[in-house]
Structures are given as C-alpha cells and as structure tokens.
Amino acid sequence: MTAPARGGALLASPARGTGTVLLAAPRSGSAASGLEVLPHSVEPGGQVTVSTKACGGTAAAAGDASAVGAGSFPLAPGARGGDATGGFRVPESAQPGTYEIVAECAEGGREVRGDLVVALTVQPGPEQVQPRGSVKTGVGGALGRDPVQTAAGVAALAVAGAGGTWLLHRRARGDGI
C-alpha cells in the first residue's frame, strides 16, 4: 500500500462513490499528528493554544483558524526547545462542531493540521486546569481579620440574644415590661 509518513502512519479510505483511495495523516489534535491543539474541546469564547515541533530550527509558523472564524495567528518559538507556539480566541459566535486548524512552517512551507472541537458545554479533561482557591464574593470580610473585634462582635450578639430571650420570657409570663 503506502509507506508511513514521517511523524505518523497514513490512513487509506475510499472516497464516497469514486473507488479512489484518499491518503490523510491522522488528526487527533495531539503532538503525534504534528499540531497539538489544547484544549482539544472548547466552548465559544474560549482561548486555544497551538504548538508543533514540525518546524524545526526556526520554530516559527503561520497559523490559520479561519475554519472556526478566528482567522490567522502567528506561532513563535516556545518555551520548549524546537516548538512553535501560538494561540487564538474562539469567537463567541462559533457553532458546535469539529474544525481543522492549520499551521504552515516559515521554513520549507510544511503544513501540519489538528482538530478543535467546539462544544456548548465542555467536560473537564486532564489537559484542563481545575480552579483552586476561594471565591471572592465579599461575604466573610465584614468581621475583619482582627480577633479582638471579632470577639467583641460575637459577645455583643450574645448579649442581644440573651436580652431578647429574657424580654420574651417576661412577656409570656404576663409580668409586663
């Protein structure tokens, strides 16, 4: 059949109704396919990072996310040696579906591809960072950080509660106030 291409095996499948065999490299959005798209699944308005090792020495490329409506974006040398890295924001108007993201290396014109899945709700995956820390809602700051003031406030509330209970008890007995 066909020898495997550099960077991955080739897949062969007949085109619909033609009997012709089309060859395509696997596009899973992973580094093995040449273009890493993270996160692989994103909601409209989400930020996407794209990287590839396929561009070699200069590690520069031009990215194209026009399929999803984001247009072109640059890939520059990344933190990892030999990587070209870039990013783009998925438009809020993007419809759910799978979109092909393409990057063309500055030297040699090699093209690498990966898939991006746009979904209305995204299940957290291993590549997504889970939030940590507290939510800044404003509740809890009213007491302050001073333990003396906090103790004084608690004591004032306790006295008010005890006084209210005493007044209700007298009223229930008919002693009058």
Side-chain angles (χ1 to χ4, degrees):
M1 228 168 169
T2 305
R6 258 181 10 185
L10 292 177
L11 302 175
S13 63
R16 286 188 193 158
T18 64
T20 307
V21 175
L22 300 176
L23 299 176
R27 292 181 295 125
S28 65
S30 68
S33 67
L35 191 66
E36 185 176 21
V37 180
L38 292 175
H40 178 68
S41 183
V42 68
E43 294 176 355
Q47 185 69 30
V48 176
T49 302
V50 177
S51 65
T52 183
K53 290 184 179 289
C55 295
T58 61
D64 181 16
S66 58
V68 72
S72 60
F73 60 95
L75 282 84
R80 298 182 290 188
D83 279 6
T85 304
F88 61 92
R89 183 169 299 282
V90 175
E92 293 285 343
S93 60
Q95 297 297 311
T98 301
Y99 297 91
E100 181 179 68
I101 309 302
V102 180
E104 183 177 342
C105 298
E107 285 185 9
R110 180 175 181 194
E111 274 192 3
V112 289
R113 301 168 186 273
D115 287 341
L116 171 69
V117 176
V118 176
L120 294 180
T121 56
V122 176
Q123 297 298 321
E127 72 268 359
Q128 292 179 328
V129 177
Q130 296 299 318
R132 287 180 250 164
S134 62
V135 177
K136 306 293 187 225
T137 62
V139 176
L143 293 178
R145 294 180 183 237
D146 184 13
V148 174
Q149 288 181 349
T150 302
V154 169
L157 287 172
V159 168
T165 303
W166 178 72
L167 286 174
L168 288 173
H169 180 68
R170 284 190 59 192
R171 185 174 178 191
R173 283 191 358 204
D175 291 344
I177 296 178

